[in-house]
Amino acid sequence: SGADRAGLMSVLYCIWQLDMPVEKAMTQLHWKYGHIRQADTGILDYFFQRYIEYNAATPLSFVDWIDTVYDPEEVKTSYHAGSFANTIVNKVLRRE
């Protein structure tokens, strides 16, 4: 349906074009826009949250974090979605 792709791009636009803090930009990932963070799509929230936690301990720009720290495979394997939320998203809402 594109809700999560649009949400991701909205967050990135807010960070890079509007110079908005990641915490505030993440408000674009919200259920009122069709994003369900408890399902597989919640990996987007998890990705940004990992940056926020790292940045709190070791200040680093978002772009530098992506270039030097971010490990896509580690984030993918450490994220766990809720099975009930996935049922809602995949079976009831029939989203990809």
Side-chain angles (χ1 to χ4, degrees), residues 2-92:
D4 301 302
R5 289 185 296 268
L8 173 61
M9 293 311 296
S10 296
V11 173
L12 295 175
Y13 179 83
C14 288
I15 293 168
W16 282 317
Q17 295 298 315
L18 303 179
D19 201 29
M20 191 180 288
V22 174
E23 296 86 347
K24 186 172 179 186
M26 280 183 64
T27 62
Q28 299 298 312
L29 296 172
H30 194 276
W31 63 268
K32 68 182 177 183
Y33 302 126
H35 175 72
I36 301 182
R37 71 173 13 152
Q38 295 82 3
D40 286 338
T41 55
I43 196 164
L44 300 174
D45 304 86
Y46 185 67
F47 163 75
F48 289 114
Q49 193 59 45
R50 292 290 295 267
Y51 166 72
I52 291 167
E53 292 168 4
Y54 185 90
N55 189 49
T58 309
L60 188 64
S61 76
F62 182 65
V63 173
D64 289 339
W65 178 79
I66 291 171
D67 287 341
T68 62
V69 177
Y70 170 59
D71 179 355
E73 285 303 314
E74 189 278 325
V75 168
K76 185 177 178 180
T77 58
S78 64
Y79 175 72
H80 304 289
S83 61
F84 180 73
N86 276 333
T87 300
I88 297 296
V89 170
N90 298 333
K91 304 268 190 234
V92 176

